[in-house]
Amino acid sequence: MKISTQIFAALFLFFLGMSNLAAKEVAHIKGQVKDQKGEILPFVNVALIEAGNGILLTGSVTDENGMFLIESSRSGKVQLVISSIGFETFKSEAFDIQPGFSKDFGALSIKEEVGNLKEVTVRSTRPEIIVEADKTTINVEGTVMAEGNTALDVISRSPGVYVDENDNINLNGRSGVTVMINDRQTYMSANDLASFLRAMPAENIKSIEIINNPTSRFDAEGTAGVINIRLKKNNIDGMFGNVQLGGLYNGLFAPNTGLSLNVKKGKWTNMANLNYSEFNFHNDLNINRNFQLDQGLSNFDQNSRITMKSRNLFFTGGSDYEINSNHSVGVSIQASQRNGADVGNSLTEINNPGTDDLFFIRSLNDSDSKSDRVFGNFHYVGILDSTGTKITTDVDYTKMRSNSNALLTNNNWINELEQQSNRDYILTLNEMDYSILTAKADFTKPFGKGRVLETGVKGSWVKSDNVLDLSKAVEEEPFSPDPNSNHFIYEENVLAAYASYKSKFSEKVSFQAGLRTEYSDITGTSITLGRVDKQNYIDLFPSFFVQQQVTKDYQIIYNANRRIARPNYRLLNPFVYYIDPLTTEQGNPNLRPQYAHNLEMNHVIKGAYQFTLGYSLTNDVFQQIFTQDEESRTTTTYTANLDKSQNWNFRTMIPVEIRPWWNTSNMIQVNNSRWKSMIGDALLDVSQTSLTLRSQHTINLPAGFKAEVMGMYIGPSQYGQATIKGFAWMDAGLTKSIMKDKMTLTLNGTDLFRSQFIRAAVQFDNIDTKFEQYRNTQGVRFTLRYKFAQGESFRVSNRSGSTEERNRLD
């Protein structure tokens, strides 16, 4: 065992061994809601707001027995608000809360409204966005966003977030986003993560946290920031859950169904979610390429339709045991299986200078893929004293296996003589195995008066084994091995430690400063080529936050940090993959990590209006590179390190209440991106200012209907070599709740005007290529969801997990 690993093990065991008696870490407010006749009132909205300004902190809904329980980690003066159709709104006297505080309101009686009972009454939508010093929280629970949509839909509608046509999640115009669920890293590739989030009903989500510049407590991985999905907590003593059935039609039908179940008995809390979904669509792609030959210009016009079908099965489960009020342990597991079947059909027409003949290539790419993934977690949470000193430990293990096979069949002919075509084949077999072990321990020590010390250690051990087997054949001849076949093994060990301190300069100015250190030891071995590439380095990642409370309703937040993004494991494999006979993708074992330096200033007014200015400088930035071979007239793509990119970002969030029953959330974002690097013998030096607009409307209608309309515009932008044209689209949804809100019917329409076309061009050095793509995003989705609950309120503590490695699987 290496000395560095021994040191980590000693530190981890030291943190794990620190345990003692403790106090609770959150405030608890509970009670029961009844009418004036003493009848219990189920499914009533209960909210906790800041006294004076009415800003929503958190909320809940009473269960079938009229009981509610609200938890909050905030401190300050608050009020309890209870509202329901046909009743007057109840608002308590202001009272102070802090972590560890407990208050039981007992039985609360609310009055029926006096007035014309025949008059239509609608409810006002509650605020959906809460701005805090280190993050922006979007409350999903109870909103139209949560009805009939998926987790990916909700994320794509969050401030500053855009999910592109390849399922990459971008934040504030930058890629490299880390996605977490309940403070645990998802550890998936972009495609696997998109499939997982599509299988997760938004009904299971409580809130989404957008963390543009994370503190040193978070892993340094992820140059663009963190998106943390918080799932609903168990709040029923007994059992609660939901079952849903639905489908999407976008030219192809894709059903989905799921079951969520939560059970508590005594000190045990158990949960399980099982979801099945299909994601089917046509991807229409046109590529027009020009090659400058000695004889003149040769043009390739390629039209393709790729039919992509994916069947996804996901299971998540967990069990927590409360040793006592201050200590708990638990385990969780995720298991998933994805089966994909893609069929690509393309026709390419080629004209050559000096001849009137037209050359044609018809390609059929038939591929099947399967991936299995298992993730297990063990965690411990302990409160060590009455001040809230806390230790959390996590051990995670991930095992993933995927395999695919693709047969590319090419027919070549001249003019109208397709029946006389020549045929060749390319067979690709790919097997990938990944295993990841991570362990971490975090220690938090409050000192009073807003002073908090956080520190911790983490270790991760990664190994991936990737076998790519290529073979070719002509006509009916047998397949022969291709020299581009490759067997590649990747090993990565990362050890990290951090410390962070939070305090105040004055009553109105607080700060948080932190430093994270990471040691990386990386080995890439190509068995086929007999090549070994080694890297080891130590990096420092500082972070600094300042929060200035200028007035009661106006604050300014300054922050700065440094972050890293390590290459995706698969991209380091020196593979050659045939997309079609004219286009290949290659791996790059020489990829280096990219580093981002981020600055941000955020003005927040009344806890809702945001005006943010940010700057990011990224060195050795990852970028997909296009190269052309004029002699063979082929195109190769690979990921390389560009020297640097700069991004200036201004965004503003403006919520507007048009009517009590009509609320809007509006975002304006301006990005200026500049890319500068030598690519071969040519200098890339380009910049582009892009405008993004989003307007989201939530409307409460009579008879219990809710509606949501969202429009979005993304202006022309630059992404490395590629120039992308602007486009816009609109989504809309309608929801109706019946059976006392137990059953919900939802109808959603996406890309209503079929306008989400991606048009791009690469005109750099000798490359002259244009792309046009449409992924059949226009569609209609229906969902039927039934919620069930039985029991009394109870509490389950939040758990934290380890972080980054599986996000780079592909």
Side-chain angles (χ1 to χ4, degrees):
M1 182 182 291
K2 294 182 179 180
I3 294 177
S4 58
T5 304
Q6 294 175 345
I7 294 174
F8 168 79
L11 288 172
F12 180 79
L13 292 174
F14 170 76
F15 279 104
L16 185 62
M18 297 179 63
S19 60
N20 207 330
L21 296 179
K24 297 181 179 180
E25 58 179 323
V26 294
H28 301 83
I29 297 94
K30 63 181 180 179
Q32 185 180 39
V33 180
K34 298 182 178 181
D35 63 14
Q36 290 175 294
K37 298 179 181 179
E39 298 291 332
I40 61 174
L41 294 177
F43 313 115
V44 170
N45 295 314
V46 184
L48 198 67
I49 66 172
E50 286 189 5
N53 57 27
I55 294 176
L56 176 72
L57 299 178
T58 185
S60 181
V61 177
T62 60
D63 62 23
E64 291 183 336
N65 298 314
M67 305 294 294
F68 67 87
L69 172 65
I70 295 178
E71 296 177 343
S72 176
S73 60
R74 303 286 289 269
S75 298
K77 194 172 288 294
V78 299
Q79 290 177 283
L80 186 74
V81 177
I82 302 174
S83 62
S84 181
I85 293 178
F87 291 87
E88 295 181 2
T89 298
F90 168 87
K91 184 178 291 187
S92 73
E93 296 292 330
F95 59 97
D96 292 309
I97 64 169
Q98 61 184 7
F101 173 83
S102 179
K103 184 176 180 64
D104 187 352
F105 277 90
L108 294 170
S109 177
I110 59 176
K111 300 179 181 179
E112 292 187 9
E113 286 185 333
V114 178
N116 187 358
L117 296 180
K118 296 182 180 180
E119 183 178 1
V120 176
T121 304
V122 294
R123 281 178 289 181
S124 171
T125 55
R126 62 184 175 87
E128 293 180 356
I129 298 177
I130 299 174
V131 181
E132 299 181 66
D134 57 346
K135 63 189 175 187
T136 298
T137 301
I138 300 92
N139 286 315
V140 176
E141 186 177 15
T143 67
V144 179
M145 294 174 67
E147 301 294 346
N149 286 311
T150 69
L152 189 64
D153 295 325
V154 174
I155 288 177
S156 66
R157 298 179 186 180
S158 300
V161 179
Y162 169 60
V163 181
D164 67 19
E165 69 279 2
N166 296 316
D167 293 327
N168 296 306
I169 299 175
N170 297 271
L171 181 60
N172 300 323
R174 295 180 288 149
S175 60
V177 180
T178 297
V179 177
M180 306 176 73
I181 298 177
N182 284 346
D183 295 321
R184 291 194 183 95
Q185 184 92 10
T186 49
Y187 300 126
M188 300 182 201
S189 69
N191 290 334
D192 289 334
L193 178 60
S195 298
F196 179 81
L197 295 176
R198 286 192 183 98
M200 179 189 295
E203 171 67 23
N204 293 345
I205 299 175
K206 177 180 178 62
S207 62
I208 294 176
E209 297 171 348
I210 306 295
I211 308 170
N212 295 310
N213 290 311
T215 66
S216 58
R217 180 174 65 88
F218 292 87
D219 285 355
E221 178 72 23
T223 54
V226 172
I227 297 176
N228 188 29
I229 302 172
R230 291 205 173 275
L231 303 180
K232 291 181 179 178
K233 297 179 182 179
N234 299 344
N235 62 355
I236 301 296
D237 187 6
M239 178 179 67
F240 85 98
N242 68 77
V243 58
Q244 59 94 17
L245 177 68
L248 169 68
Y249 182 78
N250 59 2
L252 298 171
F253 179 69
N256 66 79
T257 185
L259 172 67
S260 175
L261 185 65
N262 296 265
V263 180
K264 181 181 184 297
K265 184 176 182 180
K267 294 186 176 183
W268 286 96
T269 301
N270 306 288
M271 60 81 63
N273 292 276
L274 180 63
N275 293 284
Y276 172 82
S277 68
E278 295 185 14
F279 183 60
N280 306 327
F281 65 94
H282 295 301
N283 185 9
D284 295 319
L285 176 64
N286 173 260
I287 305 176
N288 192 282
R289 311 180 227 202
N290 291 318
F291 294 86
Q292 186 63 52
L293 307 180
D294 293 338
Q295 302 87 349
L297 192 68
S298 176
N299 175 261
F300 285 44
D301 188 11
Q302 181 178 359
N303 289 279
S304 305
R305 163 163 279 199
I306 307 169
T307 300
M308 309 181 77
K309 296 184 178 181
S310 176
R311 301 187 304 276
N312 311 290
L313 184 65
F314 289 93
F315 170 81
T316 60
S319 184
D320 287 271
Y321 178 74
E322 191 174 90
I323 301 172
N324 54 44
S325 60
N326 304 315
H327 299 269
S328 65
V329 295
V331 295
S332 63
I333 187 171
Q334 296 176 2
S336 66
Q337 184 179 89
R338 178 179 179 272
N339 291 275
D342 301 343
V343 178
N345 198 324
S346 69
L347 177 64
T348 304
E349 178 182 310
I350 305 171
N351 67 357
N352 290 308
T355 177
D356 293 331
D357 290 332
L358 292 177
F359 293 78
F360 294 90
I361 303 176
R362 184 182 298 279
S363 298
L364 177 66
N365 198 336
D366 192 349
S367 66
D368 294 295
S369 61
K370 181 181 179 180
S371 64
D372 298 286
R373 171 182 170 273
V374 177
F375 162 67
N377 165 269
F378 169 81
H379 51 262
Y380 160 78
V381 177
I383 310 298
L384 308 182
D385 57 36
S386 60
T387 66
T389 303
K390 181 174 71 172
I391 184 170
T392 64
T393 61
D394 286 85
V395 178
D396 296 342
Y397 181 74
T398 303
K399 181 70 174 178
M400 179 175 175
R401 169 172 291 183
S402 65
N403 60 75
S404 63
N405 62 82
L407 179 62
L408 177 61
T409 304
N410 306 302
N411 291 308
N412 306 270
W413 72 91
I414 301 175
N415 296 326
E416 303 299 327
L417 304 177
E418 183 173 2
Q419 66 276 12
Q420 300 179 14
S421 62
N422 298 315
R423 180 174 297 179
D424 63 79
Y425 306 89
I426 301 174
L427 179 63
T428 303
L429 304 176
N430 191 198
E431 293 186 1
M432 293 179 285
D433 286 280
Y434 301 93
S435 62
I436 301 171
L437 173 67
T438 64
K440 64 174 292 190
D442 297 285
F443 176 74
T444 303
K445 174 64 178 178
F447 293 99
K449 297 183 179 180
R451 297 174 299 162
V452 180
L453 173 67
E454 294 180 317
T455 185
V457 294
K458 179 206 169 185
S460 68
W461 297 266
V462 178
K463 183 176 182 179
S464 73
D465 195 327
N466 191 329
V467 178
L468 181 68
D469 187 4
L470 293 173
S471 56
K472 295 182 179 179
V474 178
E475 295 297 343
E476 303 304 323
E477 296 180 5
F479 282 88
S480 58
D482 186 278
N484 289 312
S485 298
N486 190 48
H487 182 188
F488 183 74
I489 297 175
Y490 176 85
E491 295 176 283
E492 173 188 283
N493 301 329
V494 178
L495 306 180
Y498 77 92
S500 176
Y501 182 69
K502 183 178 181 180
S503 186
K504 292 183 177 182
F505 289 124
S506 66
E507 285 300 316
K508 291 190 175 183
V509 181
S510 60
F511 73 91
Q512 183 172 349
L515 179 65
R516 187 179 187 91
T517 303
E518 294 190 352
Y519 168 75
S520 303
D521 185 1
I522 299 171
T523 302
T525 304
S526 175
I527 304 296
T528 305
L529 301 177
R531 173 177 173 176
V532 178
D533 295 290
K534 287 182 173 289
Q535 299 181 52
N536 57 78
Y537 47 86
I538 296 178
D539 281 314
L540 299 178
F541 302 97
S543 63
F544 190 69
F545 289 73
V546 175
Q547 183 178 11
Q548 180 184 5
Q549 194 72 40
V550 182
T551 67
K552 179 181 178 181
D553 295 326
Y554 174 40
Q555 61 176 315
I556 306 175
I557 303 165
Y558 310 86
N559 58 66
N561 65 12
R562 181 176 187 258
R563 295 183 65 76
I564 188 176
R566 297 179 179 87
N568 182 286
Y569 308 139
R570 190 179 73 92
L571 294 178
L572 293 166
N573 182 357
F575 65 88
V576 175
Y577 182 82
Y578 288 88
I579 299 173
D580 58 49
L582 307 172
T583 311
T584 56
E585 180 188 1
Q586 292 186 3
N588 182 3
N590 298 315
L591 269 179
R592 303 180 302 276
Q594 67 177 20
Y595 295 88
H597 307 79
N598 307 306
L599 301 170
E600 187 177 82
M601 178 175 63
N602 189 13
H603 297 255
V604 184
I605 301 174
K606 293 186 176 180
Y609 303 93
Q610 295 186 66
F611 302 90
T612 306
L613 180 65
Y615 172 76
S616 177
L617 171 64
T618 305
N619 296 319
D620 290 330
V621 60
F622 300 148
Q623 183 59 50
Q624 187 178 36
I625 300 299
F626 296 83
T627 61
Q628 280 189 179
D629 187 313
E630 302 296 329
E631 183 176 347
S632 63
R633 288 179 286 180
T634 57
T635 300
T636 300
T637 67
Y638 63 96
T639 300
N641 293 106
L642 300 189
D643 292 342
K644 65 179 180 180
S645 71
Q646 297 182 74
N647 180 276
W648 286 95
N649 175 272
F650 171 78
R651 66 184 181 275
T652 179
M653 294 293 302
I654 305 176
V656 178
E657 184 181 278
I658 299 176
R659 292 288 187 273
W661 45 269
W662 182 0
N663 281 268
T664 70
S665 175
N666 307 283
M667 184 195 74
I668 303 172
Q669 182 168 297
V670 180
N671 277 300
N672 178 268
S673 298
R674 184 181 182 186
W675 310 76
K676 187 174 182 179
S677 181
M678 292 296 298
I679 300 177
D681 296 327
L683 174 64
L684 176 70
D685 190 355
V686 292
S687 64
Q688 174 75 53
T689 299
S690 179
L691 174 67
T692 301
L693 304 173
R694 177 193 277 119
S695 184
Q696 189 167 318
H697 299 246
T698 304
I699 305 170
N700 281 334
L701 300 172
F705 284 93
K706 295 181 181 178
E708 182 178 87
V709 179
M710 192 276 291
M712 188 163 181
Y713 168 76
I714 297 179
S717 58
Q718 187 77 32
Y719 191 68
Q721 294 170 296
T723 301
I724 304 172
K725 293 186 177 181
F727 57 99
W729 73 94
M730 181 177 290
D731 299 338
L734 186 65
T735 296
K736 167 67 174 176
S737 296
I738 58 177
M739 298 174 59
K740 295 183 179 180
D741 290 336
K742 288 186 177 181
M743 182 170 288
T744 304
L745 305 171
T746 305
L747 185 67
N748 284 293
T750 57
D751 193 14
L752 299 181
F753 302 105
R754 197 177 175 83
S755 56
Q756 202 169 346
F757 280 87
I758 308 298
R759 297 177 177 89
V762 177
Q763 294 178 325
F764 174 77
D765 197 16
N766 66 331
I767 305 174
D768 183 5
T769 302
K770 295 182 179 179
F771 307 84
E772 183 174 296
Q773 182 180 19
Y774 185 70
R775 292 187 63 176
N776 280 63
T777 49
Q778 185 181 54
V780 60
R781 178 192 293 118
F782 73 90
T783 304
L784 174 66
R785 179 174 290 107
Y786 177 77
K787 295 181 287 187
F788 54 89
Q790 181 179 5
E792 296 177 331
S793 300
F794 72 99
R795 175 181 69 88
V796 173
S797 300
N798 282 336
R799 310 297 186 195
S800 63
S802 31
T803 59
E804 91 189 55
E805 288 70 25
R806 287 176 293 161
N807 208 36
R808 294 184 285 132
L809 295 180
D810 197 357

